[in-house]
Amino acid sequence: VMLARFLIMASFGGTTTFAPLMLVRQQGLSLGTAGALLALASLGWSTGSFVQGRRALIGRGPELVAVGALVATLGTALLTLNAATAAPSALNALGLVVIGLGMGLGVTATSVLALELAPAGGHAAASSALQLSDVLGSVLGISLASALYAFALSGGWAGASTYPLVFAVMTLIAAGTVLVGRRIRPQG
């Protein structure tokens, strides 16, 4: 559960750090418009959290982690494609909403699963492990994305070609979360 949380947070952190930069530098959007598009991810996240909390999905946490990661992977892949083709802003908005939807499904499910799988009296440790996975995943995802960006620019790549590289690697990390999510098994 913690590895799934770590990976999905790494992908999300790296992607959402560079999405506004790509929208401003490559697409020519204003900072306000880029920020508004990024905010759409939070609407997707809220929707995903709402959906995963439905009574019909109780006890389906492992499936929700894998499905959420798959949805986030598809959204990140869409952003990769959009960055490679300089797609219209509406497609970037769609990619960000889809990423958020996957995060709402998957991340929220990891919280529930971690607490369900924790032994009696182990909820504090599970909660701490979730927080560490969040922070380390985000920081290392942002660090990796930044290192890729700097490496590409120092290697003479055109600025526009660096964004697909960054997003493609974040897509691979999100896809890794799907594999990890499929391995989660409830105890008992």
Side-chain angles (χ1 to χ4, degrees), residues 8 48-49 51-54 56-71 101-110 112-113 181 184:
I8 201 165
S49 294
V51 168
Q52 76 81 38
R54 301 300 75 190
L57 296 175
I58 291 175
R60 311 239 353 234
E63 295 166 65
L64 286 168
V65 172
V67 168
L70 178 61
V71 171
L101 179 65
M103 294 299 289
L105 290 169
V107 170
T108 310
T110 60
V112 174
L113 274 170
I184 297 171

Side-chain angles (χ1 to χ4, degrees), residues 5-30:
R5 179 78 163 240
F6 172 87
L7 290 171
I8 201 165
M9 291 305 295
S11 174
F12 183 76
T15 301
T16 56
T17 297
F18 280 88
L21 185 64
M22 183 266 298
L23 292 169
V24 170
R25 293 226 172 141
Q26 180 179 331
Q27 304 248 327
L29 300 180
S30 70

